[in-house]
Amino acid sequence: MITGLDHVGIAVADLEKSLDTFRRLFGVDEAAIHRERVEEQGVEIASFTVGNIRIELLAPLSEQSPVAKFLAKRGEGIHHLSFATTDIRQDLHTLEQQGFRLVDAEPRSGAHQMWIAFLHPKSTNGVLIELCQPKNEDTDRQSLD
Ligand code: CMX
């Protein structure tokens, strides 16, 4: 079940430069910034929270990264909205049955110790939607089944 918005992903070309912009905009402390390389997704991220919403800046690690393709085609800007779910596998199954086009039939490993999966923007009014669920013993075991 989808329970709410987890984060907003913003594609950027220069992570440090953009981080400086957003840090000044929201008055974010350096110590409150989470940095991570997500090799599987081909991105480097820097994230921080504003109120109870996380903002995730994404920069490509290579030209093959989907974010590099996005930047080349559309420029910097909002890249995806990520929604928290209590059962990512079940939701993917249900959404596929409802006719949504899945990018990921199976959850993949994402930032913040989360399982993530994307729906194709062509089936969601041009918005890239991500589902995410924190990893734990149960979800880790399911992913090995
Ligand atoms: N938001 C909205 N539309 C998008 C989009 C995005 N983020 N990314 C691509 N599109 C659009 C393109 O503009 C294009 O539309 P047109 O055909 O009208 O021009 C269409 O989708 C197809 O795009 P493409 O460049 O040909 O790219 P692909 O079909 O090869 O891939 C997508 C598109 C969404 C399947 C791919 O970008 C993907 O798998 N994304 C999910 C993975 C990802 O983005 N990972 C990084 C984030 C990691 C994280 O959060 O941890």
Side-chain angles (χ1 to χ4, degrees):
M1 186 177 69
I2 291 173
T3 54
L5 184 63
D6 182 82
H7 66 265
V8 177
I10 300 176
V12 303
D14 183 328
L15 197 59
E16 292 311 317
K17 205 169 148 201
S18 300
L19 197 47
D20 185 54
T21 303
F22 284 96
R23 204 164 32 201
R24 283 186 290 113
L25 177 65
F26 297 119
V28 181
D29 235 38
E30 177 60 36
I33 295 165
H34 171 87
R35 293 164 189 269
E36 191 172 339
R37 276 170 79 93
V38 188
E39 302 283 349
E40 193 180 336
Q41 294 288 332
V43 293
E44 186 173 13
I45 66 151
S47 65
F48 51 87
T49 55
V50 180
N52 56 2
I53 289 293
R54 185 147 42 92
I55 307 287
E56 182 177 278
L57 305 181
L58 310 138
L61 283 173
S62 72
E63 284 306 309
Q64 286 71 50
S65 164
V67 173
K69 218 170 161 185
F70 178 90
L71 289 171
K73 210 166 187 176
R74 303 163 71 116
E76 294 182 304
I78 293 183
H79 179 262
H80 67 267
L81 297 180
S82 182
F83 291 87
T85 162
T86 52
D87 191 339
I88 193 167
R89 283 172 175 276
Q90 180 60 52
D91 283 344
L92 286 173
H93 178 68
T94 308
L95 291 169
E96 188 172 34
Q97 289 205 321
Q98 288 175 359
F100 289 95
R101 187 169 148 198
L102 307 185
V103 172
D104 303 301
E106 292 292 322
R108 293 198 280 165
S109 196
H112 293 278
Q113 292 295 308
M114 297 267 205
W115 291 114
I116 62 168
F118 287 93
L119 308 185
H120 200 285
K122 288 290 176 198
S123 70
T124 49
N125 292 92
V127 179
L128 180 61
I129 305 275
E130 180 187 72
L131 300 184
C132 66
Q133 182 180 14
K135 291 181 178 180
N136 61 39
E137 276 182 24
D138 284 348
T139 56
D140 290 359
R141 197 164 40 245
Q142 282 169 16
S143 79
L144 297 174
D145 288 346

